[in-house]
Coordinates of all heavy atoms in Angstrom, one line a residue:
M1 N 89.7 -12.2 116.0 CA 89.3 -13.4 116.8 C 89.7 -14.7 116.0 O 89.6 -14.8 114.9 CB 87.7 -13.4 116.9 CG 87.2 -14.6 117.6 SD 85.5 -14.3 118.3 CE 84.5 -14.6 116.9
L2 N 90.2 -15.6 116.8 CA 90.7 -16.9 116.2 C 89.4 -17.8 115.9 O 88.4 -17.8 116.6 CB 91.5 -17.6 117.2 CG 92.9 -16.9 117.6 CD1 93.6 -17.7 118.7 CD2 93.8 -16.9 116.3
P3 N 89.6 -18.6 114.8 CA 88.7 -19.5 114.5 C 88.4 -20.6 115.6 O 89.4 -20.9 116.2 CB 89.0 -20.1 113.1 CG 90.5 -19.8 113.1 CD 90.7 -18.6 113.9
K4 N 87.3 -21.1 115.6 CA 87.0 -22.2 116.5 C 87.8 -23.5 116.2 O 88.1 -23.7 115.0 CB 85.5 -22.6 116.6 CG 84.7 -21.6 117.2 CD 83.2 -22.1 117.3 CE 82.4 -21.1 117.9 NZ 81.0 -21.6 118.0
R5 N 88.3 -24.2 117.2 CA 89.0 -25.4 117.0 C 88.1 -26.5 116.4 O 87.0 -26.7 116.8 CB 89.6 -25.9 118.2 CG 90.5 -27.1 118.1 CD 91.1 -27.5 119.4 NE 91.8 -28.7 119.3 CZ 91.4 -29.9 119.7 NH1 90.2 -30.0 120.3 NH2 92.1 -30.9 119.6
I6 N 88.5 -27.2 115.4 CA 87.8 -28.3 114.8 C 87.9 -29.4 115.7 O 89.0 -29.9 116.0 CB 88.2 -28.7 113.4 CG1 87.9 -27.4 112.5 CG2 87.5 -29.8 112.8 CD1 88.5 -27.6 111.0
E7 N 86.8 -30.0 116.1 CA 86.9 -31.2 117.0 C 86.9 -32.4 116.1 O 86.0 -32.7 115.3 CB 85.5 -31.2 117.9 CG 85.4 -30.1 118.8 CD 86.4 -30.2 120.0 OE1 86.8 -31.3 120.3 OE2 86.8 -29.1 120.5
P8 N 87.9 -33.3 116.4 CA 88.0 -34.6 115.7 C 86.8 -35.4 116.1 O 86.3 -35.4 117.2 CB 89.2 -35.1 116.1 CG 89.6 -34.5 117.4 CD 88.9 -33.1 117.4
V9 N 86.3 -36.2 115.2 CA 85.2 -37.1 115.4 C 85.7 -38.5 115.7 O 86.7 -39.0 115.0 CB 84.2 -37.2 114.2 CG1 83.2 -38.3 114.4 CG2 83.6 -35.9 114.0
S10 N 85.2 -39.1 116.7 CA 85.6 -40.5 117.1 C 84.5 -41.4 116.6 O 83.4 -41.4 117.2 CB 85.9 -40.5 118.6 OG 86.1 -41.9 118.9
L11 N 84.8 -42.2 115.6 CA 83.8 -43.2 115.1 C 83.8 -44.4 115.9 O 84.9 -45.0 116.0 CB 84.0 -43.4 113.7 CG 83.1 -44.4 112.9 CD1 81.7 -43.9 112.9 CD2 83.5 -44.7 111.6
E12 N 82.8 -44.8 116.5 CA 82.7 -46.1 117.2 C 81.6 -47.0 116.5 O 80.9 -46.5 115.7 CB 82.1 -45.7 118.6 CG 83.0 -44.9 119.5 CD 82.5 -44.6 120.8 OE1 81.6 -45.4 121.2 OE2 82.8 -43.6 121.4
F13 N 81.6 -48.2 116.9 CA 80.6 -49.1 116.3 C 79.8 -49.8 117.5 O 80.4 -50.3 118.4 CB 81.2 -50.2 115.4 CG 81.6 -49.6 114.1 CD1 82.8 -49.0 113.9 CD2 80.6 -49.6 113.1 CE1 83.2 -48.5 112.7 CE2 81.0 -49.1 111.8 CZ 82.3 -48.5 111.6
K14 N 78.5 -49.6 117.5 CA 77.7 -50.3 118.4 C 77.4 -51.7 117.9 O 77.1 -51.8 116.7 CB 76.4 -49.6 118.7 CG 76.6 -48.1 119.2 CD 77.0 -48.2 120.7 CE 77.2 -46.8 121.3 NZ 77.6 -46.8 122.6
D15 N 77.4 -52.7 118.7 CA 77.1 -54.1 118.2 C 78.0 -54.5 116.9 O 77.5 -55.2 116.1 CB 75.7 -54.3 118.2 CG 75.1 -53.5 116.9 OD1 75.6 -53.3 115.9 OD2 73.9 -53.2 117.1
S16 N 79.0 -53.8 116.8 CA 80.0 -54.0 115.6 C 79.5 -53.8 114.2 O 80.2 -54.0 113.3 CB 80.6 -55.5 115.6 OG 79.6 -56.4 115.2
H17 N 78.3 -53.3 114.1 CA 77.6 -53.0 112.8 C 77.1 -51.6 112.6 O 76.8 -51.1 111.6 CB 76.5 -54.0 112.5 CG 77.0 -55.3 112.3 ND1 77.3 -56.2 113.3 CD2 77.2 -56.0 111.1 CE1 77.6 -57.3 112.8 NE2 77.7 -57.2 111.5
T18 N 76.9 -50.9 113.7 CA 76.2 -49.6 113.7 C 77.1 -48.5 114.0 O 77.6 -48.3 115.1 CB 75.1 -49.6 114.8 OG1 74.2 -50.7 114.6 CG2 74.2 -48.3 114.7
P19 N 77.5 -47.6 113.0 CA 78.4 -46.5 113.3 C 77.8 -45.5 114.2 O 76.7 -45.1 114.0 CB 78.6 -45.8 111.9 CG 77.4 -46.4 111.0 CD 76.9 -47.6 111.7
Y20 N 78.5 -45.1 115.2 CA 78.0 -44.2 116.2 C 79.0 -43.1 116.5 O 80.2 -43.3 116.6 CB 77.8 -45.1 117.6 CG 77.4 -44.4 118.7 CD1 76.1 -44.0 118.9 CD2 78.3 -44.0 119.7 CE1 75.6 -43.3 120.1 CE2 77.9 -43.2 120.9 CZ 76.6 -43.0 121.0 OH 76.1 -42.3 122.1
S21 N 78.4 -41.8 116.8 CA 79.2 -40.8 117.1 C 79.0 -40.4 118.6 O 78.0 -40.1 119.0 CB 78.8 -39.4 116.3 OG 79.3 -38.3 116.9
S22 N 80.2 -40.6 119.3 CA 80.1 -40.3 120.8 C 80.0 -38.7 121.0 O 79.4 -38.3 122.0 CB 81.2 -40.8 121.6 OG 82.4 -40.3 121.0
L23 N 80.6 -38.0 120.0 CA 80.4 -36.5 120.1 C 79.0 -36.1 120.1 O 78.5 -35.2 120.8 CB 81.2 -35.9 119.0 CG 81.2 -34.3 118.9 CD1 81.9 -33.7 120.2 CD2 81.9 -34.0 117.6
F24 N 78.2 -36.6 119.1 CA 76.8 -36.2 119.0 C 75.8 -37.3 119.6 O 74.6 -37.0 119.7 CB 76.4 -36.2 117.5 CG 77.2 -35.1 116.7 CD1 78.2 -35.5 115.9 CD2 77.1 -33.8 117.0 CE1 78.9 -34.6 115.1 CE2 77.8 -32.9 116.3 CZ 78.8 -33.2 115.4
Q25 N 76.4 -38.2 120.2 CA 75.5 -39.2 120.9 C 74.5 -39.8 120.0 O 73.3 -39.8 120.5 CB 75.1 -38.8 122.2 CG 76.2 -38.4 123.2 CD 75.8 -37.9 124.5 OE1 74.6 -37.6 124.7 NE2 76.7 -38.0 125.5
D26 N 74.8 -40.2 118.8 CA 73.8 -40.6 117.8 C 74.4 -41.6 116.9 O 75.6 -41.5 116.6 CB 73.2 -39.4 117.1 CG 71.9 -39.7 116.4 OD1 71.4 -40.7 116.6 OD2 71.5 -38.8 115.6
I27 N 73.5 -42.4 116.3 CA 74.1 -43.3 115.2 C 74.0 -42.5 113.9 O 73.3 -41.6 113.7 CB 73.3 -44.6 115.1 CG1 71.8 -44.3 114.7 CG2 73.3 -45.4 116.3 CD1 70.9 -45.5 114.3
Y28 N 74.9 -42.9 113.0 CA 75.0 -42.3 111.7 C 73.9 -42.9 110.7 O 73.2 -42.1 110.0 CB 76.3 -42.6 111.0 CG 77.4 -41.6 111.5 CD1 78.3 -42.2 112.5 CD2 77.6 -40.4 111.1 CE1 79.2 -41.4 113.1 CE2 78.6 -39.6 111.7 CZ 79.5 -40.1 112.6 OH 80.4 -39.3 113.2
F29 N 73.7 -44.1 110.9 CA 72.5 -44.9 110.1 C 72.4 -46.2 110.8 O 73.2 -46.8 111.3 CB 72.8 -44.9 108.7 CG 74.0 -45.7 108.3 CD1 74.0 -47.1 108.1 CD2 75.2 -45.0 108.0 CE1 75.1 -47.7 107.7 CE2 76.3 -45.6 107.6 CZ 76.2 -47.1 107.5
A30 N 71.1 -46.7 110.5 CA 70.9 -48.1 110.9 C 71.3 -49.1 110.0 O 70.9 -49.0 108.7 CB 69.4 -48.3 111.3
P31 N 72.2 -50.0 110.2 CA 72.8 -50.9 109.2 C 71.7 -51.6 108.3 O 71.9 -51.9 107.2 CB 73.7 -51.9 110.0 CG 73.7 -51.4 111.4 CD 72.7 -50.3 111.5
E32 N 70.6 -52.0 109.0 CA 69.7 -52.8 108.2 C 68.9 -52.0 107.2 O 68.4 -52.6 106.2 CB 68.7 -53.6 109.2 CG 67.9 -52.7 110.0 CD 68.6 -52.2 111.3 OE1 69.8 -52.5 111.6 OE2 68.0 -51.5 112.2
I33 N 68.9 -50.7 107.3 CA 68.1 -49.9 106.3 C 69.0 -48.7 105.8 O 68.4 -47.9 104.9 CB 66.8 -49.3 107.0 CG1 67.2 -48.4 108.2 CG2 65.9 -50.4 107.3 CD1 66.0 -47.5 108.6
G34 N 70.2 -48.6 106.2 CA 71.1 -47.3 105.8 C 71.1 -47.2 104.2 O 70.9 -46.0 103.9
V35 N 71.4 -48.3 103.5 CA 71.6 -48.0 102.1 C 70.3 -47.7 101.4 O 70.1 -46.8 100.6 CB 72.2 -49.3 101.4 CG1 72.2 -49.2 100.0 CG2 73.7 -49.5 102.0
H36 N 69.2 -48.4 101.8 CA 67.9 -48.2 101.3 C 67.4 -46.7 101.6 O 66.9 -46.1 100.7 CB 66.9 -49.2 101.8 CG 65.5 -48.9 101.4 ND1 65.0 -49.1 100.1 CD2 64.5 -48.4 102.1 CE1 63.7 -48.7 100.1 NE2 63.4 -48.3 101.2
E37 N 67.6 -46.3 102.8 CA 67.3 -45.0 103.3 C 67.9 -43.9 102.5 O 67.4 -43.0 102.1 CB 67.4 -44.9 104.8 CG 66.9 -43.5 105.4 CD 67.2 -43.4 106.8 OE1 68.3 -44.0 107.4 OE2 66.3 -42.9 107.5
S38 N 69.3 -44.1 102.5 CA 70.1 -43.1 101.8 C 69.7 -42.9 100.2 O 69.7 -41.9 99.6 CB 71.6 -43.3 101.9 OG 72.0 -42.9 103.1
T39 N 69.5 -44.2 99.7 CA 69.1 -44.2 98.2 C 67.8 -43.5 98.0 O 67.6 -42.6 97.1 CB 69.0 -45.6 97.8 OG1 70.3 -46.2 97.9 CG2 68.6 -45.7 96.3
H40 N 66.8 -43.8 98.9 CA 65.4 -43.1 98.8 C 65.5 -41.6 99.1 O 65.0 -40.8 98.2 CB 64.5 -43.9 99.6 CG 63.1 -43.3 99.6 ND1 62.3 -43.4 98.5 CD2 62.5 -42.5 100.5 CE1 61.1 -42.8 98.7 NE2 61.3 -42.2 99.9
V41 N 66.1 -41.3 100.2 CA 66.0 -39.9 100.7 C 66.9 -39.0 99.9 O 66.5 -37.9 99.5 CB 66.3 -39.9 102.2 CG1 66.4 -38.3 102.7 CG2 65.2 -40.6 103.0
Y42 N 68.2 -39.5 99.8 CA 69.2 -38.6 99.1 C 69.2 -38.7 97.6 O 69.1 -37.7 96.9 CB 70.5 -38.9 99.7 CG 71.6 -37.9 99.3 CD1 71.6 -36.7 99.9 CD2 72.6 -38.2 98.3 CE1 72.6 -35.8 99.6 CE2 73.5 -37.2 97.9 CZ 73.6 -36.0 98.6 OH 74.5 -35.1 98.2
L43 N 69.4 -39.8 97.0 CA 69.6 -40.0 95.6 C 68.2 -39.8 94.8 O 68.1 -39.0 93.9 CB 70.2 -41.3 95.3 CG 71.6 -41.5 95.6 CD1 72.1 -42.9 95.2 CD2 72.5 -40.4 95.0
K44 N 67.2 -40.4 95.2 CA 65.9 -40.3 94.5 C 65.2 -39.0 94.7 O 64.8 -38.3 93.8 CB 65.0 -41.5 94.9 CG 65.5 -42.8 94.3 CD 64.5 -44.0 94.6 CE 65.1 -45.3 94.1 NZ 64.2 -46.4 94.5
N45 N 65.1 -38.6 96.0 CA 64.3 -37.4 96.2 C 65.1 -36.1 95.8 O 64.5 -35.0 95.8 CB 63.9 -37.4 97.7 CG 62.8 -38.3 98.0 OD1 62.0 -38.5 97.0 ND2 62.6 -38.7 99.1
S46 N 66.4 -36.2 95.7 CA 67.2 -35.0 95.2 C 67.0 -34.9 93.7 O 67.3 -33.8 93.2 CB 68.7 -35.2 95.5 OG 69.3 -36.2 94.8
G47 N 66.5 -35.9 93.0 CA 66.4 -35.8 91.5 C 67.5 -36.2 90.9 O 67.6 -36.3 89.6
F48 N 68.6 -36.7 91.5 CA 69.9 -37.1 90.9 C 69.7 -38.2 89.9 O 70.2 -38.2 88.8 CB 70.9 -37.3 91.9 CG 72.3 -37.8 91.3 CD1 73.0 -36.9 90.5 CD2 72.6 -39.1 91.4 CE1 74.2 -37.4 90.0 CE2 73.9 -39.5 90.9 CZ 74.6 -38.7 90.2
I49 N 69.0 -39.3 90.4 CA 68.9 -40.5 89.6 C 68.1 -40.2 88.3 O 68.6 -40.5 87.2 CB 68.1 -41.6 90.4 CG1 69.1 -42.1 91.4 CG2 67.6 -42.7 89.4 CD1 68.6 -43.2 92.3
D50 N 67.0 -39.4 88.3 CA 66.2 -39.1 87.2 C 67.1 -38.1 86.2 O 67.1 -38.3 85.1 CB 64.9 -38.4 87.4 CG 63.9 -39.3 88.1 OD1 64.1 -40.6 87.8 OD2 63.0 -38.9 88.8
A51 N 67.7 -37.1 86.8 CA 68.6 -36.2 86.0 C 69.7 -36.8 85.4 O 69.9 -36.6 84.2 CB 69.1 -35.1 86.9
L52 N 70.3 -37.8 86.0 CA 71.4 -38.5 85.3 C 70.9 -39.3 84.2 O 71.5 -39.4 83.1 CB 72.1 -39.4 86.3 CG 73.3 -40.2 85.8 CD1 74.4 -39.3 85.4 CD2 73.8 -41.2 87.0
A53 N 69.7 -40.0 84.3 CA 69.2 -40.8 83.2 C 68.7 -40.0 82.0 O 68.7 -40.5 81.0 CB 68.0 -41.6 83.8
K54 N 68.3 -38.8 82.3 CA 67.6 -38.0 81.2 C 68.5 -36.9 80.7 O 68.1 -36.2 79.8 CB 66.3 -37.3 81.7 CG 65.3 -38.2 82.2 CD 64.1 -37.5 82.8 CE 63.0 -38.5 83.3 NZ 62.0 -37.8 84.0
S55 N 69.7 -36.8 81.2 CA 70.6 -35.7 80.7 C 71.5 -35.9 79.5 O 71.6 -37.1 79.1 CB 71.5 -35.2 81.9 OG 72.4 -36.2 82.1
D56 N 72.0 -34.8 79.0 CA 72.9 -35.1 77.8 C 74.1 -35.6 78.1 O 74.6 -35.6 79.3 CB 73.0 -33.7 77.1 CG 73.7 -32.5 77.9 OD1 74.8 -32.9 78.5 OD2 73.3 -31.4 77.9
P57 N 74.9 -36.2 77.2 CA 76.1 -36.9 77.4 C 77.2 -36.0 78.0 O 78.2 -36.6 78.6 CB 76.5 -37.4 76.1 CG 75.3 -37.2 75.2 CD 74.4 -36.1 75.8
D58 N 77.2 -34.7 78.0 CA 78.3 -33.8 78.5 C 77.9 -33.1 79.7 O 78.5 -32.1 80.1 CB 78.7 -32.9 77.4 CG 79.4 -33.6 76.2 OD1 80.0 -34.6 76.4 OD2 79.1 -33.3 75.1
K59 N 76.9 -33.4 80.4 CA 76.3 -32.7 81.6 C 77.3 -32.8 82.8 O 77.9 -33.8 82.9 CB 74.9 -33.4 82.0 CG 74.4 -32.8 83.1 CD 73.5 -31.7 82.9 CE 72.7 -31.2 84.2 NZ 72.2 -29.9 84.0
H60 N 77.4 -31.7 83.5 CA 78.2 -31.7 84.7 C 77.3 -31.5 85.9 O 76.5 -30.6 86.0 CB 79.2 -30.4 84.6 CG 80.2 -30.4 85.7 ND1 81.4 -29.8 85.6 CD2 80.1 -30.9 87.0 CE1 82.1 -29.9 86.7 NE2 81.3 -30.6 87.6
F61 N 77.3 -32.5 86.7 CA 76.5 -32.5 87.9 C 77.2 -31.9 89.1 O 78.4 -32.3 89.4 CB 76.1 -33.9 88.2 CG 75.1 -34.4 87.2 CD1 75.7 -35.2 86.2 CD2 73.8 -34.3 87.3 CE1 74.8 -35.8 85.2 CE2 73.0 -34.9 86.3 CZ 73.5 -35.6 85.3
N62 N 76.6 -31.0 89.9 CA 77.2 -30.5 91.1 C 76.2 -30.9 92.2 O 75.1 -30.5 92.2 CB 77.3 -29.0 91.0 CG 78.3 -28.5 89.9 OD1 79.4 -28.8 90.1 ND2 77.8 -27.9 89.0
L63 N 76.6 -31.8 93.1 CA 75.9 -32.1 94.3 C 76.5 -31.6 95.5 O 77.7 -31.6 95.6 CB 75.7 -33.6 94.3 CG 74.7 -34.2 93.5 CD1 74.9 -34.2 92.0 CD2 74.4 -35.6 94.0
G64 N 75.6 -31.2 96.5 CA 76.1 -30.7 97.8 C 75.5 -31.4 98.9 O 74.2 -31.8 98.8
E65 N 76.1 -31.5 100.0 CA 75.5 -32.1 101.1 C 76.0 -31.4 102.4 O 77.2 -31.1 102.5 CB 76.0 -33.6 101.2 CG 75.6 -34.4 102.4 CD 76.1 -35.8 102.5 OE1 77.2 -36.0 101.9 OE2 75.5 -36.6 103.0
I66 N 75.2 -31.3 103.4 CA 75.6 -30.8 104.7 C 75.6 -31.9 105.7 O 74.6 -32.6 105.9 CB 74.6 -29.6 105.2 CG1 74.6 -28.6 104.2 CG2 74.9 -29.2 106.6 CD1 73.5 -27.5 104.5
G67 N 76.8 -32.2 106.2 CA 77.0 -33.3 107.1 C 77.4 -34.5 106.4 O 76.7 -35.3 106.0
F68 N 78.7 -34.7 106.2 CA 79.3 -35.8 105.5 C 79.2 -37.2 106.3 O 79.0 -38.2 105.6 CB 80.8 -35.6 105.2 CG 81.4 -36.6 104.3 CD1 81.2 -36.5 102.9 CD2 82.2 -37.6 104.8 CE1 81.7 -37.5 102.1 CE2 82.9 -38.5 103.9 CZ 82.6 -38.5 102.5
G69 N 79.1 -37.1 107.5 CA 79.0 -38.3 108.4 C 80.1 -39.3 108.0 O 81.2 -39.1 108.1
V70 N 79.7 -40.6 107.7 CA 80.6 -41.6 107.4 C 80.8 -41.7 105.9 O 81.6 -42.6 105.4 CB 80.2 -43.0 108.0 CG1 80.4 -42.9 109.5 CG2 78.9 -43.5 107.6
G71 N 80.1 -40.9 105.1 CA 80.3 -40.8 103.7 C 79.4 -41.8 102.9 O 79.6 -42.0 101.7
L72 N 78.3 -42.3 103.5 CA 77.4 -43.3 102.9 C 76.7 -42.5 101.7 O 76.6 -43.2 100.5 CB 76.3 -43.8 103.8 CG 75.3 -44.8 103.2 CD1 76.0 -46.0 102.7 CD2 74.3 -45.2 104.3
N73 N 76.2 -41.3 101.9 CA 75.5 -40.6 100.7 C 76.5 -40.5 99.5 O 76.2 -40.7 98.4 CB 75.0 -39.3 101.1 CG 73.8 -39.5 101.9 OD1 73.0 -40.5 101.9 ND2 73.5 -38.4 102.7
F74 N 77.8 -40.1 99.8 CA 78.8 -39.9 98.8 C 79.1 -41.3 98.1 O 79.2 -41.3 96.9 CB 80.1 -39.3 99.4 CG 81.2 -39.4 98.4 CD1 81.3 -38.6 97.3 CD2 82.2 -40.4 98.6 CE1 82.4 -38.8 96.4 CE2 83.3 -40.5 97.7 CZ 83.4 -39.7 96.6
L75 N 79.3 -42.3 98.8 CA 79.6 -43.6 98.2 C 78.5 -44.1 97.3 O 78.7 -44.5 96.3 CB 80.1 -44.6 99.3 CG 81.3 -44.3 100.1 CD1 81.4 -45.3 101.4 CD2 82.4 -44.4 99.2
L76 N 77.3 -43.9 97.8 CA 76.1 -44.4 97.0 C 76.0 -43.6 95.8 O 75.7 -44.0 94.6 CB 74.9 -44.3 97.8 CG 74.8 -45.4 99.0 CD1 73.5 -45.1 99.7 CD2 74.8 -46.8 98.3
T77 N 76.2 -42.2 95.9 CA 76.1 -41.3 94.7 C 77.3 -41.7 93.7 O 77.0 -41.8 92.5 CB 76.4 -39.8 95.1 OG1 75.3 -39.5 96.1 CG2 76.3 -38.9 94.0
Y78 N 78.4 -41.9 94.2 CA 79.5 -42.2 93.3 C 79.3 -43.5 92.6 O 79.6 -43.7 91.4 CB 80.9 -42.2 94.0 CG 82.1 -42.2 93.2 CD1 82.3 -41.3 92.1 CD2 83.1 -43.2 93.4 CE1 83.4 -41.3 91.3 CE2 84.2 -43.2 92.7 CZ 84.4 -42.4 91.6 OH 85.4 -42.5 90.7
R79 N 78.9 -44.5 93.3 CA 78.6 -45.9 92.8 C 77.6 -45.7 91.7 O 77.7 -46.3 90.6 CB 78.2 -46.8 93.8 CG 77.9 -48.2 93.3 CD 77.5 -49.2 94.4 NE 76.2 -48.9 94.8 CZ 75.6 -49.6 95.7 NH1 76.3 -50.7 96.3 NH2 74.4 -49.4 96.1
H80 N 76.5 -44.9 91.9 CA 75.4 -44.9 90.9 C 75.9 -44.1 89.7 O 75.6 -44.4 88.6 CB 74.2 -44.1 91.6 CG 73.1 -44.0 90.6 ND1 72.3 -45.1 90.5 CD2 72.5 -43.1 89.8 CE1 71.3 -44.9 89.6 NE2 71.5 -43.6 89.1
F81 N 76.8 -43.0 89.9 CA 77.3 -42.2 88.8 C 78.2 -43.2 88.0 O 78.1 -43.1 86.8 CB 78.1 -41.1 89.4 CG 78.6 -40.1 88.3 CD1 77.8 -39.2 87.6 CD2 80.0 -40.3 87.9 CE1 78.3 -38.5 86.6 CE2 80.5 -39.5 86.9 CZ 79.7 -38.6 86.2
L82 N 79.1 -43.9 88.5 CA 79.9 -44.8 87.8 C 79.2 -45.8 87.0 O 79.5 -46.1 85.8 CB 80.9 -45.5 88.8 CG 82.0 -44.6 89.3 CD1 82.9 -45.5 90.2 CD2 82.9 -44.0 88.3
A83 N 78.2 -46.3 87.6 CA 77.3 -47.4 86.8 C 76.4 -46.9 85.8 O 76.1 -47.6 84.9 CB 76.6 -48.2 87.9
N84 N 76.0 -45.5 85.9 CA 74.9 -45.1 85.0 C 75.3 -43.8 84.1 O 74.5 -43.4 83.4 CB 73.8 -44.7 85.8 CG 73.2 -46.1 86.5 OD1 72.6 -46.9 85.9 ND2 73.4 -46.2 87.8
S85 N 76.5 -43.3 84.3 CA 76.8 -42.1 83.6 C 77.4 -42.4 82.2 O 77.8 -43.4 81.9 CB 77.9 -41.2 84.4 OG 79.0 -41.9 84.5
N86 N 77.3 -41.4 81.4 CA 77.9 -41.5 80.1 C 79.4 -41.0 80.2 O 79.7 -40.2 81.2 CB 77.3 -40.5 79.0 CG 75.9 -41.0 78.8 OD1 75.6 -42.2 78.6 ND2 74.9 -40.0 78.8
Q87 N 80.3 -41.3 79.3 CA 81.7 -41.1 79.4 C 82.0 -39.5 79.6 O 82.9 -39.1 80.2 CB 82.4 -41.6 78.2 CG 83.9 -41.5 78.4 CD 84.6 -42.3 77.3 OE1 84.1 -42.7 76.3 NE2 86.0 -42.4 77.4
G88 N 81.2 -38.7 78.9 CA 81.4 -37.3 79.0 C 80.8 -36.6 80.2 O 81.2 -35.4 80.5
Q89 N 80.0 -37.3 81.0 CA 79.4 -36.6 82.1 C 80.5 -36.5 83.3 O 81.3 -37.3 83.4 CB 78.3 -37.4 82.5 CG 77.1 -37.3 81.5 CD 75.9 -38.2 81.9 OE1 76.0 -39.3 82.5 NE2 74.6 -37.6 81.7
K90 N 80.2 -35.4 84.0 CA 81.1 -35.3 85.2 C 80.4 -35.0 86.4 O 79.2 -34.5 86.4 CB 82.0 -34.0 84.9 CG 83.0 -34.2 83.7 CD 83.8 -33.0 83.5 CE 84.8 -33.3 82.4 NZ 85.0 -32.2 81.5
L91 N 81.0 -35.3 87.6 CA 80.3 -35.2 88.9 C 81.3 -34.4 89.8 O 82.4 -34.8 90.0 CB 80.0 -36.5 89.5 CG 79.5 -36.6 90.9 CD1 78.2 -35.9 91.0 CD2 79.4 -37.9 91.4
T92 N 80.8 -33.3 90.5 CA 81.4 -32.6 91.5 C 80.6 -32.7 92.7 O 79.4 -32.5 92.7 CB 81.6 -31.1 91.2 OG1 82.5 -31.0 89.9 CG2 82.3 -30.4 92.3
Y93 N 81.2 -33.2 93.8 CA 80.5 -33.5 95.0 C 81.1 -32.7 96.1 O 82.4 -32.9 96.5 CB 80.6 -35.1 95.4 CG 79.7 -35.4 96.5 CD1 78.4 -36.1 96.0 CD2 80.0 -35.3 97.8 CE1 77.6 -36.5 97.1 CE2 79.0 -35.8 98.7 CZ 77.9 -36.3 98.4 OH 77.0 -36.7 99.4
L94 N 80.4 -31.8 96.7 CA 80.8 -31.0 97.8 C 80.1 -31.3 99.1 O 78.9 -31.5 99.1 CB 80.6 -29.4 97.5 CG 81.3 -29.0 96.2 CD1 80.8 -27.6 95.9 CD2 82.8 -29.0 96.4
S95 N 80.8 -31.4 100.2 CA 80.2 -31.7 101.4 C 80.8 -30.8 102.5 O 82.0 -30.4 102.5 CB 80.5 -33.1 101.9 OG 79.8 -33.4 103.1
A96 N 79.9 -30.3 103.4 CA 80.4 -29.5 104.5 C 80.0 -30.2 105.8 O 78.9 -30.8 106.0 CB 79.6 -28.1 104.6
E97 N 81.0 -30.1 106.7 CA 80.8 -30.9 108.0 C 81.0 -29.8 109.2 O 81.8 -29.0 108.9 CB 81.8 -32.0 108.2 CG 81.6 -32.9 109.4 CD 80.2 -33.6 109.5 OE1 80.0 -34.5 108.6 OE2 79.5 -33.4 110.4
K98 N 80.3 -29.9 110.2 CA 80.5 -29.0 111.4 C 81.9 -29.0 111.8 O 82.6 -30.1 111.9 CB 79.6 -29.4 112.4 CG 79.7 -28.4 113.7 CD 78.7 -28.8 114.7 CE 79.0 -27.8 115.9 NZ 78.2 -28.2 117.0

């Protein structure tokens, strides 16, 4: 059996600020709260912020996410890692998208 064809995603913007998926008929995040929401739900509640602050200098972090979307969680994670990690720490970020 052949694998299913991967459907390309068409990213649109509602009111020029809100990323929208016509395929799923849903917004990716609300621009006025997107960064705050992702920081609270993804970074803080996953334990990543605390683990990064309390870990040894050579720690290797592996983070995974289901549904990459527009990459907001990844960008916030990478920004936080760059600003708060030690030189020997490493980050591997894996994401799966439908």
Side-chain angles (χ1 to χ4, degrees):
M1 179 157 79
L2 294 174
K4 289 184 178 181
R5 182 175 177 263
I6 296 174
E7 293 292 327
V9 175
S10 175
L11 179 63
E12 300 173 23
F13 285 89
K14 298 289 185 183
D15 66 35
S16 77
H17 292 82
T18 307
Y20 177 80
S21 168
S22 57
L23 179 64
F24 299 112
Q25 298 180 345
D26 196 10
I27 63 170
Y28 285 95
F29 59 86
E32 61 276 0
I33 63 167
V35 170
H36 174 73
E37 182 180 40
S38 283
T39 299
H40 178 74
V41 172
Y42 189 76
L43 291 179
K44 288 182 181 174
N45 285 335
S46 70
F48 177 68
I49 290 177
D50 288 339
L52 184 61
K54 296 175 183 175
S55 68
D56 64 45
D58 296 320
K59 178 86 172 166
H60 186 153
F61 294 91
N62 294 297
L63 271 74
E65 174 183 32
I66 297 173
F68 190 75
V70 294
L72 182 60
N73 287 339
F74 167 73
L75 292 172
L76 292 172
T77 301
Y78 190 54
R79 180 176 74 177
H80 187 80
F81 182 78
L82 289 177
N84 298 286
S85 63
N86 295 316
Q87 189 171 10
Q89 292 176 324
K90 295 181 177 138
L91 172 66
T92 299
Y93 193 97
L94 300 171
S95 181
E97 184 67 60
K98 180 178 176 184

